[in-house]
Structure formats: C-alpha cells, structure tokens
Amino acid sequence: MTTNRNEGDTIASNEATPDESSALATQATGTTRRKFLQASTAIAGTAMLGGISRSYAAKGPIHVASMFDVTGGLSIYGLPEMNVSRMAIQHINKNGGVLGRQVKLHEYDTQSKIELYSRYAQEIGVNDDISIVVGCITGASREAARPILSKNNKLLFFPSVDEGGECDKFTFMQGSDILQMETPLIDWAVKNAGNKFYVVAADYIYGHVATAWTKTLVAQAGGTIEGVEFIPLDVSDFGSTIRKIQSAKPTVIMSNLVGGNHMAFYRQFAAAGLNRNIAIVSPSFGLANEQLVLAPEETDGIVVAYSYFETLPYPENKAFVSAYRRAYPDAGPLMDLPAQVWNGWHQWKMAVEAAGTTEIHQVVAAMESGIPFNGPSGRILMDGTSHRNIQDINLAQVNDKREYQILDIQRQVQPATTVPGSESCDLLGKDKNSHRMIMPNI
Amino acid sequence: MDEIIVIALSALTSIAILMLTSLGLAVIFGLMRIVNMAHGEFLMIGAFTTTVAVRIGELSIWLAILCAPVVCALVGAFVELAFIRPLYGRRLIDTLLVTSGLSLILYQIAINVFGTASPGIGTPPGFAEIGSYTVSYYSLFLPVVTVLLTALLYALFKWTRYGLLARAASDNPDMASVLGVEVRRVNLSTFVLGCALAGLGGGLISPMVAVSPGVGQSYVGQAFMTVVTGGPAFLLGTLSASALLGGIANIVSQMFTTLWGLTALLVTAIILVRLLPRGLSGNWSRQL
C-alpha cells in the first residue's frame, strides 16, 4: 500500500501525499481523496510492470524534499527554515532550474515530533523520484531520519549548528560546529572578560558535547572552569542556578542553553544584577531570536559566533534579505539556520550541475570536490573529509537595541574532524563507506 | 549564613511559581473536576496579555498584570458556554478530550497571532544585596502575592455566599439544584474564576520567563501533579503540595543539579500519592 501510495502520488499529483495533507499545510493540494484513490488504483497494477513513474519523472521536474517542524514547539526554528527552503527552490527555478529542469519541492511538516521524521524519511526512502532532503533541526531528528535516508540512497543536507560527530557518506552539514564557534568565543572572553568560566548547558547530547569542547578549549586558552550545570529542556526556573553562579564567582558564562524555556535564564540572570560584572558568551544564543524575545537591557553585551548575520555586508546577502522580506514581510530577523538552508540548496544545485546527473554517488563526488559558493554568509567551501563547510565565522555582540554588532570576522575556518574523547572521521579515506554517527566519549 | 538565606528565598520563589501556575487548575480541576488540558494555554494567554499591555498599551507592568485575569476570564466564559457546559456530570475523559483539542487550537492561534518569537518584557528592575549575593526584588514579590492571593481565595470560598454555592454546585449539583441553586450560573462563575486565576498566574510569571506560545506547556504537568498531590482541600491542599514539591525541587537543585531537583519533585509526588492516595489533604477535616 505504501508503494502504491507513492506511485499514485507521483502521477496523480505532484502536490501532496493526500492522506498527509495536514503535514503539508503550506502547499495547495488540488487532489481530492477520491481522485487520488482512482489514480492510485489505476496505477497500482501497471506501476509494477516497470519504470513508469521513473520515466515520467525523467521528463518532468527534479523532485526534492524538506522536512522541518513548521508547527509545534520547534516551529521557532522550522518556520523560517521552510520559508527559505521554498524561496531557494523558487529562486533556482526562476534562474533556469537544475540541468535545465524545474525543481519540485515536497514540503514535510514534522510537527516537532521525532516519530514523524522516521515516518517521512521512510516515505521519501521508497519514493524513487526524490533524491535529496534539506532538512532536520535537532541532532535527534537528524538521527531519526539519516539512517533511513542513507540506507535508501538519499542525500541529506543538514542546515543546523551542531555538535559534530556525523560521519555519513550521504550526509552533508551546512551549519557550523562547536569547534568553529567556541574557539573565537573563548579567545574573546579570555582577552576581554577574564578566564574563569562557568558553563550552563542544555541537558541533552548537544549540551554535553558542546560542554566537552568548552572544557578542552578553555584549558587550551589558559582558563579555568569554575562550575558546570546541565539544565533539562523544560526548566524555566533558574533560581538555584543563579545562586550557584554567585557562589562560584566566575568572570564569564559559557551558555550552551537551547530552546524557549532556557531563554528565561538570561532574564533571571539580569534580574539578579549578575550581568553587571559577568560576561556571557554563547554558541547557541540567538538561533531562536532570543535577542528579540528578551528585553534589550537583558541581552546587551552577550557575545555570539555564527557564520551568518543579517547585517553582513555582502551583495549576495543584501539580495537574500530583501527577497526574504518581500516574500515574508511579517517574519522575524534571519538567523544562521535559514541562511544555511539557502546555502544547502545552492551547493546541491552546483554539485548536480557539475555531476550532470542526480545519481547519488556522482553528486557526492562533486560535493566532495569542493565547489566554492558565495552565499549570504560569504564564501563557503565543502570539506570532503568531514562533509562540513569551511566558512567564515563572525564574532558579534548584542547591543542595547537588540542588534548584532560584528566584532571580528574569522575567514574560512576549518571544521572539526574529531569528536571529544572519541575517534575522527575521514569520509575520503577510512570512512568512505561509512553511514554512522561517532558518539562522543564523555 | 548569607548562602542559607539566599537558598531559602530562592526556594520560596520556586514554591510561589508552582502555586501561581497551579491555582487556576486547583479551582477548575480540584474543585470542579474538569480535566483542563488547556490550563497551559490560559497561562500563556495571561502572559501574552501582560506583554502586549506593556508593549503596545504602554501600561505599567503592574496594571498590565491585572489585565491578564480580565482577558482570561472573557476567554474562559466563552469556553465554558461553548464547550464545557454540556459536559458537566459526564465522564472525566470527555472534558479531557475537549480541553486537549482546545489547547491545540489556542496554541496555534497564538503562533498565528504572535509568531514564534515576539518581543517580551523585562523583569522589573532592582535587586536586594544579601552579603555577596544579589536577589531580584521581583522574585521576592512573588511569594508575597501568592500568600495574599491564597488568603483572598480562602476568604471567598469560606465566608461568602458565592463560595458556599460554588462548593455545593460542584459537590452535589443535583441536590444544590433541588435546593434552588442556579447550578449553571454558579459553575460558569467558578470556571471563569479558575481561568482568571490561570491568567493572573501567567501574567505574574511573564516578566521572569520568555513568553512564547509554548510558555504554558512546561507548567501543565507540574500543575496537575501539585493539584493531585494536594488532594480534596483544593486551596490549602494545593498550597501545601506547592510548598512541599517546590521546596524539595529547589533545595535538591541547590545541593545537586537541576535535573535531580526535577527528579526529586516527581519522586516525592509519586511517593505521596502512593502513601496518601487521596492526596495530602485526604484526611483533613477542612474542605478548602
């Protein structure tokens, strides 16, 4: 039935999987259930005779997909990412498509539910037409989808900032990693705010790996760690944490906090007056527009590091921002994640055009060859060994008007190839057939 | 010494937050036996009302907090008339289904209206210095409000005619009705009161947390646990449960980590419900 549904879907309509129309909330679906049933029964027999949908697809558009949490708790990240995904495909189509063919985006709203990532990955996996997914937000959602996609020979481009450790021949990472972001943050802190660090981190894999990196990098920079606290994601009362920070008397807070509830930390930290003499640096602050939700006096002075900021002066960025504002006038400021979705689609387009096909091994080889792309975040270049981008990292400070002021730009920063306390990944050498994630040993 | 005072104050704040976010549920679930899964969304509506009143209405934070219960009361009145009224006397599961659906709808409306990241309001400034520690005034203000609010509600349910009728209408609606109590109207007022309290709770915590459409959801589980652990005396039972659970969670967090604090809260609630199946106030003679 699953196969029939997908065959039927391809021919009856290129719009939506009819029984999941809620999942594709943003698409107009002209297909009624009845039409779908007619089409799929008609096709069910013939499809098995061979290759109908494939030959149909070869003449038609190239099918691609995005999976983001457009609704539910993670929609703070997912909504702008899906917006940019749609915008990127429209932009590519307007400029002649890919290999002269139009690109058809299938949008999957994963509703902030991990189980939907597995389910949609399975649907995409058995769909012969879709060859690539740009999607997933959290590491957990990526690990739900990635093994299924890569087993079915589908590419996955992951646009989030992440903790590292991914080592899959068919997966490419657009977001910057902890090493790329925390190195400049810690250097800045040691120079400008003192070298006694206190780490607050989200209590799941991202927070733990990020903290392992923080410890390593702080030691290298000659600093000390005065305390570490992991906070479950649903906690928003930071009274005890604030008291512990006051006892430990650090000069800098490294915040590896994540999500809506954790924003309360910055507020309660400022309310107790701690922002007067303790600096905050963070590789995750701002991804959900924290600087907008919190009051200016609460975020003034926080230092972050990302490869993308809306204020970057490149012409590619100006065009990107104005196109986004035209398409989504009510959306908030653009942050790193949506910009990486844009980068992802364009890197894919260039790789497919270099390879001359959407065949996965040839596209992977083209990606690994490192075709530079000048996008909204400046120049990016895929590093074949780690499947991560070599990219600029901007150190920026929030000012009292909720804006980021760029302090420093580090050009073409190399990504990490190792995982703290664990092994390294070399997708051109020893790992050229790997489809795994290296777990940190912490 | 400073440290002990600061820890005690921090525990009081945690207790106050737990109580303020549970009070509305104590009335709607504890007294009226309506499983209100949309409780978190009422907190959220209260929080957004306060935020909007400060940012767009340019009211002072204190007036803005008072707007929250008014708006929630109006929403509550609509909800009661439209969805809850037909469900009195039916199985608990019916109210659970209806309010779960309501919760999803209110949440999505909030996303459509406010978006996923909307500007919040800061905590009213000022902090007290205790030795080498500093404590925000606002976090000291919350326990005071909690005590006043509980006392006020106690007086309302204990000594006013409305309070008597409200308890009668919930305890034994048929008998109350026979005796001439207009049960429908009394239930409407009580439900609206519960919603207003949830709204006030949301308004009061809004300057301490980041207000987003999902802001209420992290409190719902704890609020249910508190009200259930509190038992039949919906007001003082809930207060005792808040004191016990909030106090333990905070102090364990102080000694170990936040995760252990949260764990301690859950474990305490489980043990209590096992030992006292009717809740903390199960054996009390008082009913409030």
Side-chain angles (χ1 to χ4, degrees):
Chain A
M1 190 56 216
T2 320
T3 321
N4 287 349
R5 180 205 293 167
N6 281 283
E7 300 282 0
D9 179 32
T10 311
I11 295 180
S13 97
N14 289 321
E15 295 294 332
T17 315
D19 61 344
E20 292 301 331
S21 52
S22 69
L24 301 154
T26 44
Q27 276 194 346
T29 161
T31 317
T32 63
R33 178 166 289 262
R34 178 174 299 167
K35 251 163 76 188
F36 158 67
L37 283 173
Q38 284 169 350
S40 58
T41 2
I43 294 314
T46 45
M48 288 167 190
L49 298 174
I52 286 185
S53 69
R54 215 163 298 154
S55 58
Y56 174 91
K59 292 181 203 116
I62 298 179
H63 292 265
V64 300
S66 268
M67 291 195 279
F68 289 115
D69 302 311
V70 177
T71 52
L74 289 173
S75 58
I76 37 176
Y77 308 106
L79 207 55
E81 295 192 82
M82 192 63 97
N83 287 345
V84 168
S85 189
R86 200 178 301 132
M87 204 175 93
I89 298 298
Q90 280 164 3
H91 182 260
I92 288 172
N93 282 336
K94 217 163 40 186
N95 292 292
V98 174
L99 296 175
R101 291 162 64 187
Q102 291 288 292
V103 182
K104 166 85 200 136
L105 176 68
H106 295 251
E107 299 179 20
Y108 290 85
D109 173 9
T110 34
Q111 302 171 27
S112 307
K113 292 179 183 152
I114 295 288
E115 66 271 20
L116 285 181
Y117 278 96
S118 326
R119 205 169 104 198
Y120 292 147
Q122 237 130 21
E123 279 189 21
I124 294 168
V126 295
N127 184 328
D128 287 336
D129 297 320
I130 297 176
S131 60
I132 175 174
V133 177
V134 172
C136 302
I137 298 176
T138 61
S141 65
R142 184 193 65 220
E143 288 317 293
R146 179 193 55 83
I148 302 170
L149 292 173
S150 94
K151 197 171 69 196
N152 288 292
N153 290 341
K154 309 288 181 192
L155 279 174
L156 172 64
F157 282 22
F158 181 65
S160 291
V161 163
D162 83 311
E163 69 275 6
E166 195 67 290
C167 195
D168 188 317
K169 191 71 175 173
F170 295 159
T171 302
F172 291 88
M173 324 285 280
Q174 267 70 39
S176 31
D177 62 29
I178 304 288
L179 178 72
Q180 287 176 317
M181 291 183 290
E182 287 204 358
T183 311
L185 286 174
I186 289 169
D187 289 346
W188 178 89
V190 168
K191 270 188 218 115
N192 297 285
N195 60 359
K196 292 163 77 181
F197 288 76
Y198 193 100
V199 187
V200 282
D203 197 1
Y204 75 109
I205 183 156
Y206 172 82
H208 281 269
V209 178
T211 303
W213 275 118
T214 307
K215 286 180 179 165
T216 316
L217 296 171
V218 164
Q220 278 172 16
T224 55
I225 304 273
E226 302 297 317
V228 175
E229 184 160 18
F230 293 103
I231 318 279
L233 287 172
D234 53 358
V235 165
S236 57
D237 175 7
F238 287 88
S240 64
T241 308
I242 301 283
R243 200 277 305 162
K244 282 187 220 170
I245 290 173
Q246 299 198 38
S247 299
K249 298 190 173 58
T251 52
V252 188
I253 304 284
M254 170 63 82
S255 161
N256 295 325
L257 297 173
V258 175
N261 291 323
H262 284 182
M263 285 189 209
F265 170 77
Y266 304 102
R267 174 156 288 170
Q268 291 167 28
F269 183 83
L274 299 190
N275 58 349
R276 289 167 309 159
N277 39 29
I278 305 177
I280 297 181
V281 296
S282 173
S284 52
F285 179 92
L287 284 179
N289 283 318
E290 277 87 346
Q291 83 286 358
L292 225 132
V293 176
L294 298 165
E297 61 274 15
E298 292 164 340
T299 56
D300 186 14
I302 294 177
V303 176
V304 298
Y306 290 110
S307 65
Y308 178 77
F309 286 99
E310 209 180 288
T311 48
L312 289 176
Y314 317 121
E316 291 86 357
N317 183 41
K318 297 232 160 79
F320 172 64
V321 173
S322 69
Y324 185 75
R325 291 271 165 268
R326 265 201 312 278
Y328 307 101
D330 302 327
L334 277 162
M335 276 307 299
D336 198 81
L337 306 187
Q340 300 297 357
V341 173
W342 180 270
N343 284 344
W345 282 123
H346 285 85
Q347 284 190 298
W348 168 77
K349 172 192 147 93
M350 295 169 89
V352 170
E353 291 190 329
T357 168
T358 54
E359 197 280 318
I360 188 161
H361 294 95
Q362 296 183 47
V363 177
V364 167
M367 282 295 290
E368 286 172 344
S369 72
I371 308 166
F373 171 65
N374 282 313
S377 61
R379 182 176 187 265
I380 55 172
L381 183 69
M382 184 50 69
D383 168 47
T385 308
S386 59
H387 279 202
R388 293 181 161 279
N389 275 328
I390 299 165
Q391 52 193 341
D392 294 352
I393 299 290
N394 308 284
L395 201 64
Q397 189 161 34
V398 186
N399 68 13
D400 59 3
K401 294 183 200 67
R402 296 184 154 122
E403 299 158 344
Y404 290 104
Q405 276 179 329
I406 311 276
L407 298 177
D408 185 25
I409 302 181
Q410 314 231 334
R411 300 285 175 194
Q412 303 298 296
V413 181
Q414 293 286 334
T417 51
T418 57
V419 172
S422 192
E423 14 165 6
S424 63
C425 176
D426 178 5
L427 286 156
L428 292 178
K430 72 177 171 69
D431 288 306
K432 64 176 186 290
N433 295 316
S434 282
H435 298 281
R436 61 179 182 141
M437 183 179 173
I438 301 169
M439 295 312 283
N441 187 10
I442 45 175
Chain B
M1 187 59 204
D2 301 341
E3 189 161 8
I4 294 170
I5 296 174
V6 173
I7 291 177
L9 290 175
S10 161
L12 276 182
T13 309
S14 295
I15 292 167
I17 292 174
L18 195 55
M19 183 66 180
L20 289 170
T21 51
S22 306
L23 256 184
L25 197 68
V27 171
I28 291 177
F29 175 58
L31 177 64
M32 301 179 75
R33 313 309 299 171
I34 295 168
V35 183
N36 185 15
M37 298 304 286
H39 177 67
E41 277 61 41
F42 281 100
L43 291 172
M44 177 266 289
I45 294 172
F48 267 119
T49 305
T50 307
T51 311
V52 169
V54 170
R55 291 194 50 81
I56 296 168
E58 294 183 352
L59 296 182
S60 80
I61 175 99
W62 314 108
L63 278 175
I65 288 173
L66 292 178
C67 293
V70 178
V71 172
C72 278
L74 292 174
V75 178
F78 170 74
V79 167
E80 206 272 353
L81 292 171
F83 307 117
I84 305 293
R85 179 149 288 185
L87 300 178
Y88 291 118
R90 304 262 300 266
R91 292 165 306 157
L92 276 184
I93 192 102
D94 294 348
T95 58
L96 183 136
L97 286 176
V98 168
T99 54
S100 299
L102 184 68
S103 150
L104 292 174
I105 293 169
L106 291 175
Y107 175 75
Q108 193 59 44
I109 291 177
I111 289 195
N112 293 353
V113 174
F114 296 103
T116 51
S118 64
I121 44 172
T123 315
F127 46 82
E129 296 195 25
I130 300 166
S132 60
Y133 292 89
T134 47
V135 179
S136 146
Y137 281 135
Y138 193 79
S139 67
L140 301 177
F141 162 76
L142 288 183
V144 179
V145 181
T146 307
V147 171
L148 288 178
L149 197 60
T150 313
L152 208 67
L153 283 172
Y154 187 84
L156 176 73
F157 280 102
K158 181 89 178 168
W159 290 304
T160 68
R161 187 175 155 73
Y162 159 74
L164 185 69
L165 296 183
R167 284 186 288 148
S170 299
D171 269 1
N172 193 338
D174 294 338
M175 182 56 81
S177 184
V178 167
L179 294 175
V181 178
E182 206 177 326
V183 173
R184 277 161 41 132
R185 189 192 290 167
V186 174
N187 277 339
L188 173 64
S189 334
T190 313
F191 189 84
V192 166
L193 174 70
C195 293
L197 286 169
L200 183 61
L204 282 164
I205 58 166
S206 68
M208 287 196 76
V209 299
V211 179
S212 68
V215 68
Q217 285 165 3
S218 55
Y219 295 99
V220 180
Q222 293 184 14
F224 268 103
M225 229 166 340
T226 311
V227 176
V228 169
T229 314
F234 69 94
L235 213 50
L236 295 186
T238 304
L239 183 65
S240 329
S242 301
L244 194 69
L245 298 178
I248 286 180
N250 185 284
I251 288 166
V252 173
S253 300
Q254 301 272 6
M255 289 162 57
F256 304 100
T257 65
T258 312
L259 177 65
W260 284 113
L262 215 59
T263 313
L265 186 149
L266 292 170
V267 170
T268 313
I270 291 169
I271 293 174
L272 272 176
V273 172
R274 177 70 188 81
L275 295 180
L276 300 165
R278 297 189 57 225
L280 272 178
S281 60
N283 301 323
W284 294 3
S285 55
R286 61 176 77 246
Q287 285 155 6
L288 274 175

